[in-house]
Amino acid sequence: GTGLIAPAPSIAVERSTLNGGLSLIGNQGQIAVASNRISGHLFCSGNLFKVDAEGMKNIVSGQVSCAFK
């Protein structure tokens, strides 16, 4: 979807169930990670922008190392 970020994010993981971790590394565009159920870690490193949850909470069973707006 277009989400709430303008311009639209270059990566959008929204309203999903992930059976494993999610790593976002070295991205140059906006990133949306919103309203997900993640069975594992949520790892961010070297991204140009902070991750935007678009006001929707993620449920993560593992460690979270991402900085959110």
Side-chain angles (χ1 to χ4, degrees):
T2 58
L4 301 175
I5 302 172
S10 62
I11 296 174
V13 181
E14 302 170 321
R15 298 177 189 91
S16 299
T17 298
L18 303 174
N19 295 314
L22 175 61
S23 296
L24 300 162
I25 302 168
N27 297 287
Q28 299 300 304
Q30 301 271 354
I31 302 171
V33 178
S35 190
N36 298 292
R37 183 177 300 271
I38 302 171
S39 298
H41 68 269
L42 177 55
F43 176 79
C44 296
S45 178
N47 299 303
L48 187 60
F49 297 96
K50 290 183 179 179
V51 177
D52 193 335
E54 299 181 324
M56 296 180 276
K57 184 178 179 181
N58 294 288
I59 299 170
V60 183
S61 66
Q63 182 177 355
V64 176
S65 67
C66 297
F68 283 85
K69 287 184 178 182

